Amino acid sequence: MDFSKVIMERRSIRKYKATTVPPDVIVNLLHQAVNLLEMEEKAQWRCILYSTPESRKRLSECMLSKVTDSALGRLIPGKMIDFLVKQINNTPTVAVFIAEAASDPRQGDANYAVVCSLMQNFQLLSWDAGLGMLWYTDKLLYTPAFFSEIGLKDGERFAGILNIGYFEKAPRARNRTPAEQKWTAVVPNSKPRLGTNSSAISQQSVLDLLNVAVWAPNDGLREPWRFVFAAGEEAAAKLHLSPDHASSAFLVIVAEEESNPHKREEDYAAVCCLIQNFLLLARTKPWHVRRTVPEWIYSGEGALPFGIRPQEKIVAVLELGNAVPSSRPLSRTSTLDVTIR
């Protein structure tokens, strides 16, 4: 699959054909999505597919219970509620994704990142197969009835919903901000030599990939990311790494932090999708890319050397090297837990 082409062509789809999407097609695509993951973190996740009219009707009733049962809901025109119900019922398949929760903030973020990365892989593979999707996490869904329907347990976290179906026409593209406009170089003149040959990872080669990776799904096209490039021994020291890493380049991926907790979570998911895009694109290069979520990023002092602002958060640090490992690391999230309803 040409990841660059699919990443840039993928669109959010809101209107679907009535054609049924066989569950085995979706399960097969989920298997492929898992196989594309190369995460160092171990995380459990599961997915529920609502693939029949009866199951989707039950789901829509649970999802809208907060609206229909509240005083505010009684002020909403019945036609609007009917429209929302039809939108869910007329979607061939609805997939609900659930992540593993954690009391430790770092582990909780890492678990959520695994599921977001998986969902992005799934979207790209599905688009290549002719399926469109809409990813949403509307806070109106956060109801006891909805959580009961999906069987949310202690130690789990609702990650998001994908509407899935075949479609006739994709909407037109909306431009993305060039990565250069969201780019800072901590060591601007460095161009580290990698491995034992004469090749090098330049800032421009990283920007070239980022300018494709920014075509990630993000609500309202907020583009909540920023990039900090660093390289050499000084960068390794700032990253709390040994001098052995001085031959690497580093890309620090930063997310803006909205004051609204729901938007903040949506933006974190969007940045995770961008990172996954970058990792997929990097496979076309003679690079070895290692994604890390160091403990120090949760310390305000640890992030200071990279100019992280008060309303920002480091999502991951990508170490870019030229020493390709002898074998590609296997994903620790290789098991598939899918329920079909």
Side-chain angles (χ1 to χ4, degrees), residues 150-195:
I150 66 175
L152 194 72
K153 308 169 189 172
D154 289 339
E156 289 186 329
R157 172 183 180 181
F158 167 60
I161 289 177
L162 289 176
N163 283 350
I164 306 169
Y166 296 103
F167 62 98
E168 292 183 355
K169 186 177 179 181
R172 294 196 318 182
R174 297 169 63 190
N175 290 334
R176 300 301 198 271
T177 303
E180 288 86 348
Q181 296 183 26
K182 291 175 171 279
W183 174 272
T184 303
V186 174
V187 188
N189 296 319
S190 64
K191 189 175 182 181
R193 295 293 176 183
L194 304 172

Side-chain angles (χ1 to χ4, degrees), residues 207-332:
L207 279 166
D208 289 344
L209 263 62
L210 282 174
N211 276 320
V212 178
V214 295
W215 289 77
N218 61 107
D219 188 63
L221 210 63
R222 290 196 291 267
E223 300 184 304
W225 41 68
R226 192 166 70 84
F227 316 108
V228 181
F229 180 85
E233 188 172 338
E234 181 182 350
K238 289 180 178 180
L239 289 160
H240 307 276
L241 298 171
S242 70
D244 295 342
H245 297 264
S247 62
S248 296
F250 303 94
L251 186 63
V252 182
I253 313 289
V254 183
E256 295 179 12
E257 288 215 288
E258 291 267 358
S259 57
N260 181 301
H262 182 68
K263 284 188 176 181
R264 188 161 63 240
E265 187 170 85
E266 286 184 331
D267 288 349
Y268 189 88
V271 177
C272 288
C273 290
L274 180 146
I275 293 171
Q276 185 60 23
N277 283 351
F278 186 89
L279 294 175
L280 293 171
L281 294 165
R283 295 185 180 193
T284 65
K285 302 288 185 180
W287 301 351
H288 170 54
V289 182
R290 180 170 175 253
R291 180 187 187 278
T292 62
V293 185
E295 292 281 358
W296 59 262
I297 71 175
Y298 292 87
S299 162
E301 293 183 0
L304 284 177
F306 298 98
I308 306 305
R309 301 157 191 159
Q311 297 304 314
E312 291 183 326
K313 175 180 181 177
I314 295 175
V315 176
V317 177
L318 304 184
E319 183 175 359
L320 313 175
N322 194 16
V324 179
S326 57
S327 61
R328 192 176 289 276
L330 296 176
S331 165
R332 297 183 184 179

Side-chain angles (χ1 to χ4, degrees), residues 6 13-14 38 49 53 75 87 123 127 139 143 164 177 182 195 208 214 264 300 305 319 321 335:
V6 174
I13 302 296
R14 290 172 169 80
E38 292 183 0
L49 300 180
L75 299 177
Q87 190 176 39
Q123 286 197 104
W127 184 269
K139 62 182 180 181
T143 67
I164 306 169
T177 303
K182 291 175 171 279
D208 289 344
V214 295
R264 188 161 63 240
E319 183 175 359
T335 57

Side-chain angles (χ1 to χ4, degrees), residues 52 125 325:
T52 67
L125 290 162

Side-chain angles (χ1 to χ4, degrees), residues 36-231:
L36 285 177
L37 280 178
E38 292 183 0
M39 310 284 284
E40 294 190 353
E41 302 295 335
K42 181 180 180 180
Q44 300 298 318
W45 63 276
R46 62 189 180 92
C47 175
I48 306 169
L49 300 180
Y50 289 83
S51 58
T52 67
E54 295 77 17
S55 65
R56 292 194 300 277
K57 182 176 184 297
R58 186 174 68 248
L59 180 66
S60 67
E61 291 171 351
C62 295
M63 290 165 67
L64 294 172
S65 63
K66 186 174 182 178
V67 176
T68 56
D69 295 344
S70 66
L72 175 62
R74 287 190 284 272
L75 299 177
I76 298 175
K79 287 184 178 180
M80 183 175 292
I81 294 176
D82 290 343
F83 171 78
L84 294 172
V85 171
K86 287 180 180 178
Q87 190 176 39
I88 298 169
N89 293 345
N90 292 340
T91 299
T93 299
V94 177
V96 177
F97 288 83
I98 297 170
E100 183 180 10
S103 56
D104 174 66
R106 178 192 173 279
Q107 190 60 55
D109 285 346
N111 294 347
Y112 186 54
V114 168
V115 179
C116 293
S117 301
L118 168 76
M119 292 172 71
Q120 176 63 358
N121 287 347
F122 179 52
Q123 286 197 104
L124 296 175
L125 290 162
S126 297
W127 184 269
D128 194 52
L131 284 168
M133 299 188 182
L134 175 67
W135 181 339
Y136 63 98
T137 55
D138 196 308
K139 62 182 180 181
L140 283 174
L141 308 178
Y142 290 43
T143 67
F146 172 67
F147 289 148
S148 175
E149 167 60 32
I150 66 175
L152 194 72
K153 308 169 189 172
D154 289 339
E156 289 186 329
R157 172 183 180 181
F158 167 60
I161 289 177
L162 289 176
N163 283 350
I164 306 169
Y166 296 103
F167 62 98
E168 292 183 355
K169 186 177 179 181
R172 294 196 318 182
R174 297 169 63 190
N175 290 334
R176 300 301 198 271
T177 303
E180 288 86 348
Q181 296 183 26
K182 291 175 171 279
W183 174 272
T184 303
V186 174
V187 188
N189 296 319
S190 64
K191 189 175 182 181
R193 295 293 176 183
L194 304 172
T196 57
N197 58 31
S198 60
S199 64
I201 290 183
S202 66
Q203 295 184 47
Q204 188 56 53
S205 62
V206 176
L207 279 166
D208 289 344
L209 263 62
L210 282 174
N211 276 320
V212 178
V214 295
W215 289 77
N218 61 107
D219 188 63
L221 210 63
R222 290 196 291 267
E223 300 184 304
W225 41 68
R226 192 166 70 84
F227 316 108
V228 181
F229 180 85

